Amino acid sequence: MNSNDFDIRLINEEKGKGIFATGPFKVGDVILKEKPIVSCQLSWNLDYGYLACDNCLKPLETAEENVHRLTGNKMIFLPHAECCETKTELITQCSECDTKYCSIECQNEAYLRYHKTLCLREKHESHPLVQLNETWKNMHYPPETGTIMLFARMVALVNQANNKDDILSIFSKFCHSNFCTDDNIHQVKCKLMEEKFIGQFNILRQMMQKALNTEFTSHWFTPHGFKNLIALVGTNAQGIGTSAFSRWVKNVSALDLPREERIDVDKLIDRIYDEMEEEVGSFLNNEGTGLYVLQSALNHSCVPNAVVEFPFSNNVLVVRAIRDIQPEEEICISYLDECDLERSRHSRQKTLSLLYMFTCRCDKCMSQVDDPDLTSEKYHY
């Protein structure tokens, strides 16, 4: 990867910025690698025992512990322990609030960047941050797409920054002109938070203000400013997923094993995934959300040429080419998952409009412009 192989350009006022290749990329090439300016584990995910580093979201369970919890079967034994990447001997925690980290380096980084402000020295249910988190959880049940605690971490990041204007300037780059009106921001708020959150807006704003308001971020706590904050996160945040077991699977799959042992290991992996599906469904990963400066400039396409991955099982994001990309070609990812991409044009357009407030004009959508305005479900009847 070379940062000279792509650049960010303003496309137009409606579409905003985009990332374009200035050099060629082959299938599988890493286009960019990026740490988030801020990230946070989802509130319910943490409460359900998905153990992750509070700073980088790296799993704190071993692969075998991960399997035991997600299957409910403590009799499963994973061979090749060397393929597990979790270093339990390095795990540390805050002496004040017991928040856990994968290493002393992560703990120190967290404390210097945001944890000094957010540390619950007395984790009492009456603490404003505890009340804020509980209120959020009661409004927004799983499956989660975000957490109010990311907002709290953003405020703390500004509060602890040596140069607060620099951090505020970075956050301002996530904002787009089409979210500046009250009507547009109201639509984003409703669709991001679902109907459970309509009417709860001022409760969250006032609780945030009580817990974290500072002179440097006071503009975020006005009614209009809080709407802008919600729009910023709702339209730019990237989901993050990590898993100790999936990393073990990848590593053990790369081993050069005798044929019979390979067959046995593959059967074990299949059986474990079946048991996990029966026990927890699709909730396999430590899940979080984060803001990435470069990734946020990538536009959507229903026929993307790149994909977002988390190959290090932490919050470091990689964008990888999934087909050859030529110089001057825009690099696009999909904001939709694979199932949604297979749905009708009308269904895709509806989802993108409600969640991201734009009308997709990619090659696939334009080729289907004359398709009937029916949801995918109606095609099945």
Side-chain angles (χ1 to χ4, degrees), residues 56 107 148 185 261 285 300:
C56 75
Q107 181 179 353
I148 198 69
I185 295 173
E261 185 179 358
N285 296 336
H300 164 85

Side-chain angles (χ1 to χ4, degrees), residues 179-235:
F179 300 125
C180 290
T181 68
D182 281 338
D183 287 342
N184 281 349
I185 295 173
H186 177 73
Q187 291 179 41
V188 174
K189 170 178 73 71
C190 292
K191 299 308 176 183
L192 167 66
M193 297 185 174
E194 302 177 348
E195 293 186 2
K196 298 181 183 70
F197 284 77
I198 298 175
Q200 307 295 336
F201 172 80
N202 279 328
I203 293 175
L204 290 172
R205 181 178 67 84
Q206 291 164 7
M207 293 187 75
M208 281 278 292
Q209 192 169 27
K210 178 182 177 181
L212 292 161
N213 191 21
T214 71
E215 61 176 304
F216 309 107
T217 56
S218 59
H219 60 289
W220 282 350
F221 296 102
T222 66
H224 183 78
F226 197 56
K227 290 176 183 177
N228 266 297
L229 193 61
I230 290 174
L232 184 159
V233 173
T235 56

